[in-house]
């Protein structure tokens, strides 16, 4: 040990005696500091730091490669340093000391990176959360350095020629940028991610906070265990090669160690392979399943034919082993089903059905994939009460074209992501939850409008470690149980794990907005909510805003979530834009004016000027706030300006804008507001006709241009 | 004591040769002698200073590297103080080694370097190490440079530092490969004396192709040529190889021109013609007279037996 320590001290001295090497960690730290300090306070510190760190860390691996080669070439296998090979010390001792010294040197890089991250992080989130994410970076840095250093040293041992520098450079480039761009991304060989020298990915490593890390925690641990075993193997093989070059009485021992290290690497690789095998198997099984529709057979947009379900009563319990156990009671009116002997449902294949009763009588069923067909004992001649119990573990992963794949749904530990469009509860009819092409399983909701019945929904959840959030109104929350209830028309999605919530602030002008966000988005959320309140205050002063339209703002930290819009009375975000004004505008637009999903059905502005009226409301806002300058206009106003894609061939939008401009210049802003309010109370929402007939007739009332002219005369003529 | 029994070393394919530290020498050997660097070497070297003589490419360095446990013999065995070479870890504890080429970390001082080597040689007591390092630095006349960076050392100083590291820990066997190369005459003398002093009670194996290096200090010698031991024994035995075969006299330019260049030991132009000393069975002319051989003459006479087989090989005198 004494010799080892001296050798270690000697090697460390060899590294740090050079001023350039001594300065490098500080240069690295300064670059990190400079990068991370450019992140705006409202940004997501983790996600933004990740992108900076991944690049700088990958660059630092080049230094690791160089130092690893230099540390060997300093004296190993050099004829003029042969005297050192005659000393009574083993290569194992020398190589391990060199390695430890190199790794300790690069630990200073890690320490700086971790320290800087921690310092910035605690400005925004708790110490506990900061430590968690700091440790992620610490581990990632150290594991990358460990394997890269071992590889560099082995290369230098194997190749005594100076060409090893060039080969080392190629290994660095290949093992990082090239591998990521050409092997992982282009050929979707995600399984090989563990061989990427850097544990952080420059382009395909989008990790969000909360779920982003939690979901890959196991994979990361297994992968890093393998990488460390692999690094050990490289070192032992290096020692073995050196031992072969001179006599030793320990050859057999060295060989045994080398074989042992290879076996250890293989043994640690197996669990990693199994993770991927499981993922691929699920994808392959679905690709081979004929019950899943092909993408090419789908027409767009298509609303699925469904029957009505008057009410759902769902009891969902999470068991200790992570299994979800559900009991669902549905009240189904007979209207659409009279005379039918079968009842089709859609329920995700992750769940195994235990029992189904119709009007208290147990029935048999037929199931293929998501398709579930209940065989009724007699044809439908009255309302049905269907009780269904089912259970299953939820982890729905699918390969993607780029990056790390997609998590369509999961319930692991405290993390819960169960979108309604995945049919975690029975949906009426046969609906394409998944679609496929030759290689991919896609979400049906991305390509078609799934049919969610307008129902009264009661949801009781139990056994979850953390609070569950939905688009429904929360009725009660006890220790282990939450009850949600409300009318649904867009399905019900469940979210939970690592999220924080903020109830409506006292200074909320109208809407009691409940906000759910990830810890790192807290500041962003607070600022956006404040902007929303400001906008609401402004519009609330002259428009009767329906405060129930959006009652919650839920940030879902998963880009695989496809329904980023309003679900029932909650606005769902799966991304955040750093442009807070833009985000606040979009959200308030939805709160103020509702959907415009049916806008493509408007043939001419002459027949229907609701789009122009929606824009005019924002136009007045921009005018009053002095934001209409130099011909620039906000993104809400496109219908008032000439554009190629609008159905406004007669340039009605431009015309009414000029009318309003004149009125505003004449100081008639109050009259303009009265005019707009007149139309606002009529309803400016443009729903998709046919999606909900009743709703559509109620809310979908076109306003012809003639009505505008008429009202203009009335108001402005006074 | 070093005992070498039927030791052979053969270099295989190019990849093996490339692994070798002395690649250039080996390839030369391989080219000339069918890849055998050493062939059936048998030697017994006892206490004292032993000179290993031989022309370039004779296999001296190969033999020394094998004895220093840096290369494996193809066949045969050797024992160093009774320890077989395959127990290399044990052998390394009792030897000191200075290779032909010697470089050392330029950023260290001489004292730091020797301290490091001392630890590696198992001298764990700091005090003992410091004392021994100071003593050795004095012996190699580097005491004034002890705290200077090695990068400031001249070639000779580095060489002296090399011998100091080999002597550190008082090894039972010292193996030094051409240690006087690059040293000035004064240092050479000092060096020889240092080694002679050190060889009391120990084996010091010194390889050289300079006869003068061993002439005054070695008790035993061994001559290697083409990987084989041409002779081993005492200095007088080597000198005796030239007995009756060394001739000196004036030659005409014509006679000189007809001489086999490999047989000429020395030449000096005089007014009467070329004054030559040659090794031959008979004189070239009647003016030549037989002279007593020196050690160098004996060495050259010994090698001369194989000279015709080794056209082109240089003999350094």
């Amino acid at each position: 040990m004494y010799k080892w320590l001296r050798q270690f001290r000697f090697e460390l001295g060899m590294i740090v005696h050079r001023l350039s090497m001594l300065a490098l960690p500080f240069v690295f730290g300064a670059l990190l500091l400079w990068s991370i300090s450019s992140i705006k306070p409202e940004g997501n510190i983790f996600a933004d730091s990740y992108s900076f760190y991944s690049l700088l860390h990958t660059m630092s691996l080049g230094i690791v490669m160089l130092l690893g080669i230099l540390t060997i070439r300093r004296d190993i296998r050099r004829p003029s340093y042969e005297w050192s090979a005659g000393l009574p010390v083993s290569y194992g001792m020398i190589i391990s000391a060199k390695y430890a010294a190199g790794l300790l040197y690069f630990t200073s890089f890690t320490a700086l990176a971790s320290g800087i991250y921690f310092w910035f992080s605690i400005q925004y989130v708790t110490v506990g959360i900061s430590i968690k994410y700091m440790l992620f970076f610490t581990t990632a840095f150290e594991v990358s350095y460990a394997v890269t250093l071992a590889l560099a040293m082995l290369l230098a041992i194997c190749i005594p020629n100076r060409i090893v520098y060039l080969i080392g450079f190629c290994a660095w480039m290949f093992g990082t940028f090239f591998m990521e761009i050409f092997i992982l991304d282009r050929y979707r060989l995600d399984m090989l991610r563990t061989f990427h020298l850097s544990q952080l990915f420059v382009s395909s490593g989008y990790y969000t906070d909360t779920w982003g890390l939690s979901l890959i925690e196991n994979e990361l641990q297994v992968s890093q265990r393998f990488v460390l075993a692999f690094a050990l193997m490289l070192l032992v093989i290096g020692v073995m090669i050196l031992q072969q070059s001179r006599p030793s009485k320990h050859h057999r021992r060295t060989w045994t160690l080398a074989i042992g290290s290879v076996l250890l690497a293989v043994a640690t690789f197996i669990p990693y392979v199994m993770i991927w095998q499981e993922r691929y198997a699920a994808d392959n099984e679905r690709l081979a399943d004929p019950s899943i529709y092909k993408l090419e057979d789908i027409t767009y947009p298509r609303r699925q034919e469904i029957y009505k379900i008057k009410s759902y009563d769902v009891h969902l319990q999470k068991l200790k082993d992570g299994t979800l156990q559900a009991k669902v009671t549905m009240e189904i009116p007979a209207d659409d089903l009279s005379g039918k002997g079968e009842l089709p449902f859609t329920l995700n294949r992750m769940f195994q059905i235990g029992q189904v009763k119709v009007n208290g009588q147990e029935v048999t069923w037929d199931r293929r994939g998501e398709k579930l067909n209940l065989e009724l004992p007699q044809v439908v001649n009255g309302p049905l009460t269907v009780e269904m119990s089912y259970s299953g573990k939820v982890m729905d992963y699918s390969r993607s074209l780029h990056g790390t794949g997609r998590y369509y749904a999961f319930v692991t530990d405290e993390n819960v992501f169960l979108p309604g469009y995945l049919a975690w509860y029975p949906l009426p009819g046969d609906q394409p939850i998944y679609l496929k092409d030759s290689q991919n399983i896609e979400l049906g909701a991305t390509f078609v409008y799934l049919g969610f019945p307008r129902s009264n929904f009661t949801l009781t959840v139990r056994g979850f470690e953390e609070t569950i959030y939905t688009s429904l109104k929360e009725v009660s929350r006890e220790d282990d149980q939450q009850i949600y209830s409300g009318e649904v028309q867009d399905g019900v999605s469940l979210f939970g794990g690592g999220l924080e919530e903020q109830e409506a602030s006292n200074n909320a002008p109208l809407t009691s907005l409940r906000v759910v966000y990830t810890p790192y988005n807290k500041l962003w959320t607070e600022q956006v909510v404040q902007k929303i309140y400001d906008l609401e205050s402004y519009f609330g002063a002259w428009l009767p805003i329906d405060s129930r339209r959006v009652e919650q703002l839920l940030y879902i930290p998963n880009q695989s979530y496809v329904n980023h819009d309003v679900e029932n009375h909650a606005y769902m975000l799966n991304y955040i834009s750093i442009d807070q004004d833009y985000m606040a505008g979009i959200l308030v637009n939805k709160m103020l004016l509702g959907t415009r999903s049916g806008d493509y059905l408007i043939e001419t502005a002459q027949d229907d000027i609701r789009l122009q009226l929606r824009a005019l409301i924002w136009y007045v806002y921009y005018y009053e706030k002095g934001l209409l300058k130099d011909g620039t206009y906000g993104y809400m106003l496109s219908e008032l300006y000439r554009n190629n894609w609008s159905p406004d061939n007669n340039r009605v939008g431009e015309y009414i804008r000029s009318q309003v401009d004149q009125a505003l210049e004449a100081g008639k802003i109050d009259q303009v507001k009265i005019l707009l309010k007149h139309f606002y109370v009529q309803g400016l929402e443009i729903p998709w006709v046919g999606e909900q007939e009743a709703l559509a007739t109620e809310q979908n009332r076109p306003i012809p241009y003639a009505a505008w002219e008429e009202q203009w005369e009335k108001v402005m003529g006074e | 004591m070093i005992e070498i029994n039927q030791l052979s070393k053969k270099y295989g394919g190019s990849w093996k040769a490339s692994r070798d530290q002395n690649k250039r020498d080996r390839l030369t050997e391989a080219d000339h002698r069918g890849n055998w660097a050493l062939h059936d070497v048998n030697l017994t070297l006892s206490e004292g200073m032993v000179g290993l003589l031989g022309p370039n490419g004779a296999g001296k360095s190969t033999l020394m590297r094998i004895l220093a446990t840096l290369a494996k013999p193809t066949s045969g065995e050797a024992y160093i103080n009774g320890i077989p070479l395959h127990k290399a870890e044990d052998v390394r504890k009792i030897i000191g080694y200075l290779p032909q080429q010697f470089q050392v970390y330029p950023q260290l001082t001489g004292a730091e370097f020797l301290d490091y080597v001392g630890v590696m040689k198992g001298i764990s007591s700091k005090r003992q190490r410091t004392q021994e390092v100071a003593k050795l630095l004095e012996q190699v006349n580097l005491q004034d440079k002890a705290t200077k960076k090695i990068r400031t050392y001249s070639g000779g100083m580095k060489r002296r530092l090399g011998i100091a590291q080999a002597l550190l820990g008082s090894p039972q066997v010292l193996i030094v490969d051409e240690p006087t190369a690059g040293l000035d005459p004064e240092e050479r003398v000092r060096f020889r004396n240092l080694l002679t002093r050190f060889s009391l009670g120990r084996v010091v194996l010194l390889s050289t192709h300079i006869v003068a290096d061993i002439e005054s200090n070695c008790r035993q010698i061994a001559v290697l040529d083409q990987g084989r031991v041409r002779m081993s024994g005492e200095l007088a035995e080597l000198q005796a190889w030239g007995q009756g075969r060394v001739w000196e006299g004036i030659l005409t330019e014509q006679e000189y021109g007809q001489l086999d260049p490999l047989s000429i030991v020395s030449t000096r132009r005089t007014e009467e013609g070329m004054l030559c000393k040659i090794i031959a069975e008979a004189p070239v002319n009647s003016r030549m007279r037989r002279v007593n051989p020196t050690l160098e003459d004996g060495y050259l006479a010994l090698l001369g037996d194989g000279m015709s087989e080794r056209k082109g090989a240089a003999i350094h005198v």
Side-chain angles (χ1 to χ4, degrees):
Chain A
M1 194 60 192
Y2 185 71
K3 281 187 188 180
W4 189 91
L5 283 173
R6 184 68 176 82
Q7 183 71 31
F8 171 74
R9 203 152 55 86
F10 171 77
E11 296 294 341
L12 198 58
M14 286 286 133
I15 296 171
V16 299
H17 86 276
R18 289 187 188 184
L19 199 62
S20 55
M21 295 303 277
L22 205 57
L24 264 177
F26 297 102
V27 173
F28 181 72
L31 280 171
L32 286 178
L33 199 62
W34 175 69
S35 308
I36 207 169
S37 57
S38 69
I39 299 171
K40 290 184 178 171
E42 62 271 23
N44 184 311
I45 289 288
F46 173 70
D48 293 346
S49 299
Y50 185 97
S51 67
F52 289 126
Y53 271 40
S54 60
L55 183 63
L56 286 167
H57 175 57
T58 305
M59 298 304 289
S60 73
L61 294 184
I63 305 168
V64 181
M65 188 62 79
L66 180 65
L67 188 90
I69 292 171
L70 281 173
T71 203
I72 291 295
R73 286 183 60 82
R74 186 187 304 127
D75 43 23
I76 303 279
R77 305 196 72 173
R78 284 184 66 182
S80 54
Y81 281 79
E82 203 175 36
W83 56 268
S84 63
L87 296 174
V89 285
S90 70
Y91 276 124
M93 189 279 272
I94 293 171
I95 296 299
S96 61
K98 281 179 183 289
Y99 184 73
L103 201 56
L104 182 66
Y105 171 71
F106 286 107
T107 300
S108 64
F109 285 61
T110 306
L112 278 167
S114 302
I116 290 168
Y117 179 79
F118 182 74
W119 172 250
F120 274 88
S121 180
I122 54 168
Q123 320 284 323
Y124 303 98
V125 297
T126 62
V127 171
I129 292 172
S130 297
I131 288 175
K132 178 183 168 187
Y133 290 96
M134 180 194 75
L135 286 178
F136 163 74
F137 284 121
T138 307
T139 315
F141 270 57
E142 281 300 289
V143 173
S144 308
Y145 288 150
V147 71
T148 309
L149 189 62
L151 176 66
M153 289 171 69
L154 179 63
L155 281 175
I157 288 169
C158 295
I159 309 164
N161 194 287
R162 265 176 295 187
I163 201 167
V164 70
Y165 291 113
L166 183 63
I167 291 169
F169 175 78
C170 294
W172 167 48
M173 278 289 137
F174 179 84
T176 53
F177 298 111
F178 183 89
M179 188 176 191
E180 185 172 0
I181 295 166
F182 293 99
I183 296 180
L184 302 180
D185 282 7
R186 188 166 294 182
Y187 297 107
R188 304 198 305 164
L189 296 169
D190 284 346
M191 205 182 92
L192 299 180
R193 288 171 77 84
T194 194
F195 292 102
H196 192 257
L197 284 180
S198 172
Q199 293 286 305
L200 306 179
F201 294 82
V202 174
S203 64
S204 61
Y206 183 83
Y207 293 126
T208 60
D209 48 335
T210 60
W211 296 345
L213 282 191
S214 301
L215 284 176
I216 58 161
E217 199 175 7
N218 183 40
E219 178 196 332
L220 217 54
Q221 278 176 5
V222 171
S223 165
Q224 287 174 345
R225 221 174 289 147
F226 163 68
V227 173
L228 291 176
F230 189 76
L232 179 70
M233 183 191 81
L234 295 179
L235 287 175
V236 174
I237 288 175
V239 171
M240 191 196 74
I241 290 170
L242 288 174
Q243 286 285 69
Q244 296 307 304
S245 67
R246 66 176 188 176
S248 171
K249 62 180 179 183
H250 300 311
H251 279 318
R252 188 174 288 179
R253 196 162 72 185
T254 317
W255 270 98
T256 310
L257 272 174
I259 292 167
S261 69
V262 172
L263 290 176
L264 179 68
V266 171
T268 51
F269 191 54
I270 290 169
Y272 181 76
V273 170
M274 284 171 73
I275 288 175
W276 284 95
Q277 204 175 24
E278 208 173 295
R279 288 172 177 173
Y280 287 172
D283 253 12
N284 293 338
E285 187 191 318
R286 286 187 289 194
L287 283 170
D289 184 352
S291 74
I292 294 182
Y293 296 107
K294 289 180 180 170
L295 263 168
E296 63 208 43
D297 298 336
I298 297 292
T299 52
Y300 317 94
R302 176 182 140 184
R303 175 68 68 176
Q304 302 303 303
E305 291 302 322
I306 58 166
Y307 52 85
K308 288 175 190 162
I309 295 180
K310 191 180 159 194
S311 69
Y312 280 96
D313 184 13
V314 179
H315 288 259
L316 189 68
Q317 184 168 9
K318 184 176 172 237
L319 304 180
K320 281 185 178 165
D321 67 348
T323 304
L324 282 191
Q325 204 168 56
K327 265 189 173 178
V328 180
T329 307
M330 293 166 277
E331 299 290 342
I332 304 172
D335 323 1
D336 307 332
L337 301 168
S338 288
K340 293 191 175 171
E342 288 185 334
L343 199 53
F345 281 102
T346 300
L347 181 69
N348 199 294
R349 66 185 64 206
M350 290 183 285
F351 299 105
Q352 292 79 49
I353 296 172
Q355 191 181 50
V356 182
K357 284 181 181 174
V358 176
N359 289 342
Q361 195 177 345
E362 202 166 327
V363 296
T364 57
W365 67 86
D366 170 52
R367 199 168 184 210
R368 281 174 301 130
E370 278 66 40
K371 299 174 200 291
L372 170 65
N373 223 19
L374 303 189
E375 288 160 13
L376 302 176
Q378 58 191 51
V379 294
V380 178
N381 54 13
L384 301 175
T385 301
V386 178
E387 296 165 81
M388 202 180 286
S389 60
Y390 54 88
S391 62
K393 287 191 174 177
V394 179
M395 174 47 78
D396 190 350
Y397 174 90
S398 182
R399 276 174 286 185
S400 65
L401 283 172
H402 297 289
T404 54
R406 297 163 290 191
Y407 289 93
Y408 289 155
F410 50 81
V411 177
T412 56
D413 303 324
E414 77 275 15
N415 304 300
V416 177
F417 174 53
L418 267 178
Y421 55 69
L422 268 188
W424 64 269
Y425 62 92
L427 300 180
D430 172 19
Q431 310 214 43
I433 298 305
Y434 301 109
L435 293 169
K436 64 183 176 188
D437 59 16
S438 59
Q439 288 184 305
N440 296 302
I441 292 295
E442 300 291 345
L443 290 172
T446 313
F447 299 93
V448 296
Y449 285 110
L450 295 182
F452 295 104
R454 182 183 273 267
S455 318
N456 291 316
F457 208 102
T458 305
L459 170 68
T460 307
V461 294
R462 261 201 312 228
F464 290 87
E465 288 91 336
E466 288 200 17
T467 308
I468 298 297
Y469 300 99
T470 81
S471 55
L472 297 170
K473 208 177 186 85
E474 190 171 358
V475 176
S476 73
R477 185 189 294 191
E478 290 165 16
D479 290 345
D480 190 32
Q481 177 174 292
Q482 284 176 270
I483 299 174
Y484 279 95
S485 176
E487 189 184 68
V488 303
Q489 58 185 15
D490 306 313
V492 176
S493 304
L494 308 185
F495 315 99
L499 302 172
E500 292 181 359
E501 64 179 287
Q502 181 188 300
E503 288 299 337
S505 132
N506 292 332
N507 63 351
L510 293 169
T511 311
S512 173
L513 197 62
R514 181 212 220 183
V515 191
V516 175
Y517 48 85
T518 66
Y520 277 108
N521 285 324
K522 186 177 182 183
L523 189 62
W524 181 90
T525 310
E526 283 173 355
Q527 290 178 353
V528 167
V529 167
Q530 190 51 53
K531 285 177 190 292
I532 290 171
Y533 289 159
D534 291 346
L535 285 166
E536 270 196 333
S537 297
Y538 169 80
F539 288 113
W542 56 281
L543 293 173
I545 300 173
D546 179 3
S547 62
R548 291 170 307 148
R549 200 172 263 141
V550 178
E551 293 172 336
Q552 292 191 81
L553 173 59
L554 302 177
Y555 172 57
I556 315 301
N558 185 348
Q559 290 200 325
S560 300
Y561 181 71
V562 297
N563 194 26
H564 46 89
D565 203 326
V566 171
E567 180 183 298
N568 305 316
H569 295 289
Y571 198 97
M572 312 290 221
L573 284 171
N574 75 338
Y575 75 103
I576 59 167
S577 166
I578 204 75
D579 185 348
Q580 294 176 321
D581 289 322
Y582 169 77
M583 293 303 282
I586 283 182
L587 291 165
V588 170
N589 191 56
K590 197 64 80 173
M591 296 160 96
L592 194 64
L593 301 165
T595 183
R596 52 177 285 177
S597 58
D599 59 3
Y600 68 98
L601 293 168
I602 297 174
E603 290 183 0
T604 67
Q606 213 73 30
D607 299 334
D608 191 351
I609 57 162
R610 281 179 297 174
L611 286 172
Q612 286 73 22
L613 290 171
R614 290 165 70 104
L616 271 180
I617 286 172
W618 282 100
Y619 190 80
V620 171
Y621 166 76
Y622 287 122
Y623 173 79
E624 284 212 286
K625 298 293 174 189
L627 301 170
L628 291 172
K629 285 176 186 166
D630 306 326
T632 56
Y633 55 90
Y635 40 84
M636 302 295 185
L637 310 180
S638 58
E639 277 81 13
L640 300 178
Y641 292 83
R642 194 174 178 186
N643 52 55
N644 296 328
W645 45 266
S646 167
D648 185 8
N649 294 328
N650 295 326
R651 298 163 76 172
V652 171
E654 277 185 280
Y655 178 69
I656 63 174
R657 177 171 59 84
S658 66
Q659 279 182 297
V660 169
D661 274 342
Q662 283 169 18
L664 293 174
E665 276 167 27
K668 294 182 174 177
I669 191 161
D670 291 337
Q671 286 90 327
V672 171
K673 285 181 177 174
I674 290 166
L675 183 70
L676 290 172
K677 184 182 173 186
H678 168 80
F679 292 108
Y680 180 79
V681 294
Q682 289 182 28
L684 297 177
E685 197 156 15
I686 314 170
W688 196 71
V689 179
E691 65 183 59
Q692 294 286 334
E693 286 302 332
L695 182 70
T697 42
E698 186 187 319
Q699 292 182 354
N700 190 30
R701 284 174 298 202
I703 299 172
Y705 174 69
W708 164 264
E709 279 297 325
E710 186 187 324
Q711 198 60 27
W712 179 270
E713 284 305 316
K714 270 189 196 170
V715 177
M716 296 297 171
E718 287 170 1
Chain B
M1 190 168 90
I2 300 175
E3 215 180 318
I4 302 168
N5 298 329
Q6 295 180 313
L7 200 73
S8 295
K9 176 72 179 173
K10 187 180 185 182
Y11 291 104
S14 58
W15 70 272
K16 274 188 180 171
S18 70
R19 283 192 321 178
D20 200 283
Q21 306 279 4
N22 283 328
K23 184 181 169 187
R24 197 169 43 185
D25 287 352
R26 301 282 167 75
L27 285 177
T28 309
E29 291 159 5
D31 290 343
H32 285 270
R33 293 185 312 283
N35 289 343
W36 285 102
L38 291 174
H39 199 82
D40 210 13
V41 172
N42 289 290
L43 280 173
T44 301
L45 310 173
S46 52
E47 205 177 283
M49 200 148 138
V50 182
L52 190 60
L53 265 176
N56 280 350
K60 301 188 297 293
S61 292
T62 302
L63 180 60
M64 297 216 125
R65 292 185 72 250
I66 288 172
L67 294 177
T69 69
L70 299 175
K72 292 177 207 168
T74 306
S75 63
E77 184 56 283
Y79 299 86
I80 294 184
N81 280 4
I83 304 170
L85 282 183
H86 63 260
K87 291 188 174 175
E89 285 76 6
D90 300 332
V91 172
R92 284 182 203 120
K93 288 177 186 163
I94 59 163
I95 63 165
Y97 174 58
L98 174 66
Q100 206 172 348
Q101 298 175 55
F102 179 77
Q103 281 295 326
V104 76
Y105 313 103
Q107 54 273 55
L108 296 184
T109 66
E112 283 171 347
F113 168 66
L114 289 178
D115 184 71
Y116 162 72
V117 174
V119 174
M120 295 303 125
K121 287 194 171 185
I123 310 170
S124 52
S125 159
K126 173 80 181 164
R127 193 175 164 188
Q128 187 193 343
R129 236 171 26 242
T130 311
Q131 283 174 351
E132 201 164 332
V133 165
K135 194 174 108 191
L136 277 168
L137 283 169
E138 194 183 339
Q139 284 176 350
V140 296
N141 200 22
L142 283 175
Q143 65 273 33
D144 298 338
K145 288 277 185 180
T147 54
K148 302 281 182 218
K149 300 277 186 198
I150 295 170
R151 70 164 66 93
T152 64
Y153 285 21
S154 67
M157 287 174 180
K158 283 181 191 166
R159 202 82 200 142
R160 280 185 269 157
L161 191 65
I163 198 68
Q165 67 81 27
L167 293 176
L168 197 57
S170 300
Q172 295 168 33
V173 174
L174 184 66
I175 300 166
V176 282
D177 196 358
E178 305 204 11
T180 53
L183 297 184
D184 60 35
E186 190 191 340
E187 277 177 337
R188 266 189 179 178
V189 173
R190 179 191 273 264
F191 218 82
R192 284 180 202 147
N193 292 337
L194 177 66
L195 290 179
T196 307
R197 212 165 47 240
F198 188 79
S199 67
L200 296 173
R202 298 185 179 89
V203 181
V204 175
L205 180 59
L206 166 85
S207 92
T208 183
H209 50 230
I210 303 168
V211 177
D213 278 347
I214 57 168
E215 201 162 21
S216 54
N217 304 67
C218 291
R219 278 179 53 205
Q220 297 175 74
I221 52 164
V223 179
L224 272 181
D225 185 28
Q226 291 188 289
R228 291 171 191 274
V229 179
R230 296 301 299 273
M231 70 80 62
S232 69
E234 296 189 355
L235 293 177
E237 288 177 52
L238 179 60
Q239 197 169 350
W241 271 92
Q243 199 64 52
R245 297 162 72 191
V246 185
W247 305 89
E248 192 176 55
I250 303 288
L251 301 182
T252 63
E253 286 197 359
Q254 192 183 0
E255 285 168 336
Y256 180 77
Q258 286 170 350
L259 270 180
D260 178 356
L262 297 177
S263 66
I264 303 170
V265 177
S266 65
T267 309
R268 186 157 56 88
R269 191 180 287 275
T270 66
E271 288 179 357
E272 296 157 32
M274 306 293 284
L275 175 61
C276 289
K277 187 176 182 185
I278 63 167
I279 295 170
E281 293 303 323
V284 177
N285 59 32
S286 57
R287 285 171 291 167
M288 293 200 96
R289 59 186 175 83
R290 183 177 279 138
V291 292
N292 284 331
T294 61
L295 187 64
E296 192 174 47
D297 298 334
Y299 170 62
L300 290 174
L302 175 65
L303 295 181
D305 290 349
M307 274 179 187
S308 54
E309 297 165 24
R310 203 177 63 245
K311 295 287 184 192
I315 300 170
H316 299 263
V317 291

